[in-house]
Amino acid sequence: MTRRIVTRYTIASPRVTQDVTFAILADLHNGPYEEFLPHIQEADAVLVPGDLLNRHRLGWENAERFIAEVPKLRPVFYSLGNHERKYPAPERRHWLKLVKRSDVVLLDDSVTTFAGVSLGGLTSVRRPEQMNRQILAKLAAMPGFRLLLCHHPEYYPAGVKDYDLDLVVAGHAHGGQVQCFGRGLYAPGQGFFPRLTNGFYYDNRLLVSRGATNSASAPRLFNPCEIIMLKIEKV
């Protein structure tokens, strides 16, 4: 079984009105999540930047339990990744109905607020140039700390960076799957030797998760799965 770790980051900003801690769970891919529950309860809310589903193995029993159970513990904000986009259309529509009937806040090219933080979700598209820039502009115009859930880290240099956002939270790269000397071997959307695989980039404006499970057939090497605990402190 792939090892899972807890990665903790703290950043400070004058734009938050109070200290707030987010548990970040990217790329669950219908995998188990129970061992993360104690850490989720340390947070004020949970951010899921895409891929609760696994398009390679249809079924969502764990994902369905997640959207039913976790919002009872903490507010959950969920944006859509490529596995949701590529899921067969009838099943995808049914899944989205389940999410909308749950207490999860679905950020499907939409925005909301939580604890003084403006939150947005940018939905996965086939090509970065198709991303919904209206949502980016809308979030950038909102008050306070502006945080975007964007499944694809490669979207940041492709256009997200052009907007005044304080932080973009991404997944998708799975830490580069195999890491050698701290660098990933391959990531979808970035190819071999990807640059954006885990941790902070672009002056701490992009945070990439390694992902909470391993959905690919290739094993992870020197690259544990993770939950990120992100604390944003008021300056």
Side-chain angles (χ1 to χ4, degrees), residues 73-149:
L73 303 175
R74 295 293 184 271
V76 177
F77 301 90
Y78 167 40
S79 67
L80 301 176
N82 62 297
H83 277 247
E84 284 87 3
R85 176 174 58 80
K86 293 181 179 179
Y87 220 72
E91 288 84 357
R92 181 174 67 249
R93 288 192 292 269
H94 182 53
W95 167 250
L96 292 178
K97 288 180 181 178
L98 292 177
V99 175
K100 291 174 182 177
R101 287 201 295 262
S102 76
D103 290 326
V104 168
V105 178
L106 177 63
L107 295 175
D108 181 6
D109 278 341
S110 59
V111 297
T112 189
T113 59
F114 173 79
V117 175
S118 295
L119 291 170
L122 186 66
T123 295
S124 174
V125 289
R126 293 184 182 277
R127 297 184 300 276
E129 58 268 26
Q130 296 174 326
M131 72 178 78
N132 189 331
R133 289 177 177 263
Q134 290 182 330
I135 287 299
L136 297 175
K138 184 175 182 178
L139 180 61
M142 293 177 69
F145 190 93
R146 300 181 283 269
L147 190 156
L148 177 71
L149 301 183

Side-chain angles (χ1 to χ4, degrees), residues 22-25 28 31-48 52 61-78 102-105 227:
F22 292 112
I24 300 170
L25 278 171
L28 272 166
Y33 59 87
E34 287 78 6
E35 69 182 86
F36 292 131
L37 291 178
H39 304 294
I40 285 172
Q41 294 181 79
E42 295 177 31
D44 297 301
V46 181
L47 305 181
V48 182
L52 268 178
E61 61 281 356
N62 286 325
E64 187 170 4
R65 286 193 301 108
F66 180 91
I67 66 172
E69 179 179 2
V70 177
K72 296 177 182 177
L73 303 175
R74 295 293 184 271
V76 177
F77 301 90
Y78 167 40
S102 76
D103 290 326
V104 168
V105 178
I227 180 175

